[in-house]
Amino acid sequence: QEREIWALPSFLNYFFNLLAEPRLAYTGAERTGTRSGPKMKLSMMGFCGADDSVDPRLLAAISARYDWVEWGVLFRDDKQGQPRFATFEWIEDLKTVNEDKRMGLAGHLCSKYAIDLLKGDASFVRKMHEEHGFTRFQLNATAANNVDSSQLGAEGADALRRVAEELPGCEFILQANDETEVLWKPLLASSPPANLSFLFDESKGLGVVAASYPPPPPEGVRFGYTGGLGPKNIGVQMGKMQSAAGDREIWVDMESSLRTKLEGGQDIFDVYKAMACIRVAIEMGLKPGK
């Protein structure tokens, strides 16, 4: 109870210090210059794993100032309520806070939720979109997320295409790595729907930092990069992305690096770390802000 009373003033004090002293947010974070040559564009920065350890009102406060920030909520039936996996009570509170549906929200679908969608069942996605304001849905179709994508094959790719066409107001994201090739390669090779995007993530959601990034897909296909990103390396890694993407528009996403363990052992979603990454994007000139 004592920490709950302390947390909100502490966050606000930190937040207002950011406005007065912009350099505070990225002290210690590596940065690189990307101002010469083709200028990569950053459409959004995603922070995944928002859960019951953070008040949705804090997320809304950041979103109100930086509308290019996206909060990722993980859905996995066998882990809901554990750290990184918000309870549905928390998600209902988020719905109340996001009543005007202006926050950037992404549902990261694991296990049953990903499998259902890849079998053509869009009922859960439709509900999260229409009732809660989620606009993007990422399919984490890897073994680490309790999905055997090799068993889905071409049928899964066809089902995802149909769902994307059925829900044009949503954007669907496929993790693109060697484990999910059976899904993303056929879609990429056959004119994917405009609302189907690809997230290059060879770490398969395990937080492994990429040494380099693959070249972009054909023009007109949205894509992003991820893999071990966080406040200590986001500047350097976005410089590497610049080398791969050229003047294309990308988004970035991160999860593992945003966790902090408190003295009592509680594993929390750390908005301080998210703010540090936001400040680096601004400092690099990739997004506006103060």
Side-chain angles (χ1 to χ4, degrees), residues 205-222:
L206 298 178
V208 179
V209 180
S212 61
Y213 295 91
E219 287 284 348
V221 178
R222 286 172 51 82

Side-chain angles (χ1 to χ4, degrees), residues 61-278:
I62 295 173
S63 291
R65 188 171 186 90
Y66 307 106
D67 60 4
W68 42 272
V69 165
E70 179 180 77
W71 306 107
V73 179
L74 286 157
F75 292 97
R76 178 166 169 169
D77 52 309
D78 61 333
K79 291 193 174 184
Q80 224 68 43
Q82 297 180 25
R84 305 192 193 201
F85 300 87
T87 62
F88 280 99
E89 289 79 11
W90 185 90
I91 292 166
E92 287 302 309
D93 191 24
L94 174 65
K95 173 184 174 181
T96 301
V97 171
N98 190 40
E99 186 176 12
D100 59 5
K101 297 181 178 178
R102 298 185 66 177
M103 294 175 68
L105 300 178
H108 290 231
L109 309 178
C110 310
S111 193
K112 176 183 181 296
Y113 297 102
I115 293 170
D116 284 351
L117 190 65
L118 290 170
K119 289 182 176 179
D121 182 356
S123 56
F124 179 76
V125 165
R126 187 185 297 275
K127 178 180 179 180
M128 289 295 109
H129 173 58
E130 294 178 352
E131 297 182 12
H132 295 72
F134 285 76
T135 55
R136 302 212 308 162
F137 295 90
Q138 179 174 313
L139 282 86
N140 296 337
T142 62
N145 294 291
N146 201 29
V147 178
D148 183 357
S149 58
S150 67
Q151 299 299 311
L152 299 168
E155 292 182 0
D158 291 342
L160 179 55
R161 179 185 291 276
R162 290 194 300 272
V163 168
E165 292 170 347
E166 179 185 334
L167 295 172
C170 299
E171 182 176 345
F172 295 90
I173 304 162
L174 259 179
Q175 278 187 332
N177 52 55
D178 59 4
E179 191 176 332
T180 59
E181 282 183 356
V182 68
L183 291 172
W184 67 269
K185 280 196 171 181
L187 286 163
L188 188 58
S190 59
S191 300
N195 60 333
L196 181 60
S197 305
F198 300 85
L199 181 68
F200 291 105
D201 179 18
E202 205 51 58
S203 80
K204 305 175 182 67
L206 298 178
V208 179
V209 180
S212 61
Y213 295 91
E219 287 284 348
V221 178
R222 286 172 51 82
F223 70 104
Y225 294 123
T226 189
L229 303 178
K232 292 183 179 180
N233 67 10
I234 186 66
V236 165
Q237 292 304 114
M238 286 199 294
K240 294 178 181 179
M241 294 173 198
Q242 161 86 37
S243 298
D247 63 355
R248 294 285 296 275
E249 182 177 80
I250 70 162
W251 83 90
V252 297
D253 193 78
M254 62 198 78
E255 179 189 334
S256 301
S257 67
L258 303 175
R259 310 304 298 185
T260 291
K261 282 202 173 182
L262 304 180
E263 288 185 6
Q266 185 184 8
D267 180 357
I268 69 166
F269 180 86
D270 196 334
V271 290
Y272 302 98
K273 292 179 177 178
M275 280 302 309
C277 295
I278 289 169

